[in-house]
Structure formats: structure tokens, C-alpha cells
Amino acid sequence: MMRALILGGTADANLLAAAIASAGIDAVYSYGGRTRAPADQPLPVRSGGFGGVSGLADYLRREAITHVVDATHPFAAEMSRNAIAACAQTATPLLALERAPWDKTSGDRWIEVADVVSAAAALPDSRASVFLAIGRQHIAPFGARPQHAYTLRFVDPPEQAPPLPDADVIVSRGPFTLEGELAMMRARRIEWIVARNSGGTGARAKIDAARVLGLPVIMITRPLLPDRPRVESVSEVMQWLGHRTCLGA
């Protein structure tokens, strides 16, 4: 009997959950637990960490999981590495559903860096209005650049004030439109953008808006992961699970 585990939390994972539910496949959807009000799913849901590699391996055995789909955010590197190791330990087939990264095109003014600390260091010395589009877990390094005026955008309201002396928080959930991003950047007089190369369409509007406005983007490249089977579409995952048609997505 097939029983799949979806490591989710992304729009792609939500589409996959709908397809799997429509196909009648026994599956569990796992959230990392960082979002306070995650989207409802048509599958049984669990939330929170597994307890590292050993905890995830124990879960796979205990719950008789036969297939794992890693559809986490491209920057959820720890979870992805744990999934690779736990699936290897338990001989559980693993497939990554991973959107392609964005490619730099004509008109883009990207400064590509390896991590958040490097992104903070790449900001100018003189005061600027900066849009940090990187999530609430990654803003601490920008405390070393306190001269800037930061605009932050979170899915949930922050439980405490950001550790930045001049920061304004927008609480909003994507996907975002080009028109909306242009209006926000113009109203706030954004001069620099810091973003992670997440790929996909739901978060791309800010990158397109930066190109239209001629703004520099400090682009954080994806973390390196061990080799693993990966696909870019829900239909390919459904084929891997033995279903030729991607139902419900």
C-alpha cells in the first residue's frame, strides 16, 4: 500500500496536495510550523519538526511511509538535507518538487551573493530605502547596517519589533502582482531590494518591478544540496507516484 509524505509549505506543495487528494492516494502533508495560519489542505496535516534525521527516519518507519516528496522552500536546506539522509537510512524513495530558479535577464541589476550575511554587506554605506524580501527568520544580519530604512514583508504579524532601528513591516500573503509591487516600491521610494532566488511565479513580481524601475537587487543564491531526483511540476510527481494524470491541479 502506498502512503506518501509531502514536506510542504509552498504553493507547489499545495497544488500537489490537491492532486494527490483527488487521485485518492493516502498521504500526509507536513508543515514546518513557522507560519501561524497555514493554508488548509485536503489531506491529513502534521506541523512542526521531526527531530532531525533520526526523528524523521523514525517517523517514516512508524507511519509506514512509502514515498517522500520534498516540496519545501528552495532555501529550507536543513529540512531537505534531513530528508535525503532519512530516506537513505530507511530505503524510502525520495523526489524533490523544486521550482527552477530565476534567470537574470536584460535590464536586471543583480548583485549575486551566497548568503544573508553577504547580502547585508553588499548594501551601500550611505543611507538607503531597502526592501527586505527574505522572511522574518533572516533579518538579524542587517542589524549590522542600521543606517538604512527597511521595509519588511511578513506573512504573519511579528511577535516583537524587528531588530532594526528603522523598519516598517507590511503583513501580506502572496502571490503578488507587478502592478501592486510597483505601487508599493514607488510609494515607499525603495532604492534597493534584497531577495532570495526562490524561483516560481508567486514571488517573481518584485523582481520584475525592480527591472521596470531600474533598481539594484541583491540576489541570494540557493544553498547547495546533495544530488537527489528532482522535478519541476506536479504532473511529474504524479507520474512518479504511478498516476498518469495530474488530477485536481
Side-chain angles (χ1 to χ4, degrees):
M1 294 292 292
M2 177 182 292
R3 190 164 197 240
L5 172 65
I6 302 173
L7 303 175
T10 62
D12 292 333
N14 297 345
L15 291 174
L16 177 61
I20 283 179
S22 294
I25 298 173
D26 184 11
V28 178
Y29 188 108
S30 177
Y31 277 113
R34 289 180 175 175
T35 301
R36 283 179 236 157
D40 292 334
Q41 299 299 335
L43 297 171
V45 171
R46 69 167 305 281
S47 181
F50 291 93
V53 174
S54 61
L56 177 54
D58 289 343
Y59 179 88
L60 299 180
R61 296 186 189 101
R62 183 174 66 252
E63 298 297 324
I65 299 298
T66 63
H67 295 72
V68 176
V69 181
D70 181 1
T72 57
H73 192 277
F75 282 79
E78 183 178 5
M79 184 70 256
S80 294
R81 292 188 185 105
N82 288 350
I84 293 168
C87 287
Q89 284 186 16
T90 58
T92 305
L94 168 69
L95 183 69
L97 174 57
E98 183 181 76
R99 66 191 82 160
W102 298 315
D103 291 325
K104 186 177 181 181
T105 62
S106 176
D108 285 326
R109 297 175 58 196
W110 290 8
I111 301 169
E112 295 187 88
V113 297
D115 51 40
V116 176
V117 173
S118 299
L123 286 172
D125 291 332
S126 58
R127 179 177 171 84
S129 179
V130 180
F131 177 33
L132 290 184
I134 56 173
R136 59 190 171 87
Q137 294 87 18
H138 308 288
I139 61 175
F142 293 90
R145 310 288 277 173
Q147 69 269 36
H148 301 303
Y150 294 100
T151 293
L152 316 175
R153 184 162 64 196
F154 301 149
V155 173
D156 298 313
E159 296 179 351
Q160 56 189 14
L164 302 170
D166 188 351
D168 189 23
V169 175
I170 302 171
V171 178
S172 184
R173 186 189 297 267
F176 302 100
T177 66
L178 174 60
E179 293 75 15
E181 297 291 66
L182 285 170
M184 182 275 291
M185 292 179 191
R186 285 168 173 151
R188 293 171 177 270
R189 299 184 179 182
I190 299 298
E191 299 170 280
W192 287 76
I193 297 171
V194 180
R196 298 180 294 176
N197 196 333
S198 302
T201 59
R204 185 181 176 87
K206 61 178 173 285
I207 307 304
D208 295 334
R211 186 186 311 113
V212 170
L213 298 174
L215 300 180
V217 176
I218 300 174
M219 184 67 75
I220 303 170
T221 59
R222 293 185 180 184
L224 293 177
L225 293 172
D227 288 338
R228 56 185 176 160
R230 60 174 296 276
V231 295
E232 295 181 7
S233 69
V234 169
S235 61
E236 290 172 290
V237 177
M238 297 302 289
Q239 291 175 18
W240 182 71
L241 293 173
H243 288 258
R244 292 295 175 186
T245 305
C246 181
L247 300 174

